[in-house]
Amino acid sequence: MKRTVFGAVLVAITALSLGGCWESEADKKAKEQQEASENLWNITPPDESQDKGFKP
């Protein structure tokens, strides 16, 4: 009986760890860095409605 319970607990822990329920700190940092680098290129165009322009 103890072996069966221990085996079931071991299988459950293995399934959860492989399923990605617990993310490590390195994975979280890598994901945040990837999102920040993707957002780097999302530059909005400048608002030219208040621009007086260049007058020499």
Side-chain angles (χ1 to χ4, degrees), residues 22-35:
W22 294 314
E23 291 187 40
S24 67
E25 292 295 322
D27 291 340
K28 288 180 183 178
K29 286 182 182 179
K31 189 180 289 184
E32 289 174 2
Q33 186 177 12
Q34 179 68 26
E35 290 174 358

Side-chain angles (χ1 to χ4, degrees), residues 32-54:
E32 289 174 2
Q33 186 177 12
Q34 179 68 26
E35 290 174 358
S37 65
E38 288 174 357
N39 290 336
L40 178 66
W41 299 108
N42 294 336
I43 301 172
T44 59
D47 182 22
E48 297 177 358
S49 63
Q50 302 295 324
D51 191 14
K52 307 236 189 257
F54 176 72

Side-chain angles (χ1 to χ4, degrees), residues 2-14:
K2 286 184 181 180
R3 267 190 210 169
T4 306
V5 172
F6 180 73
V9 169
L10 184 62
V11 168
I13 290 173
T14 304

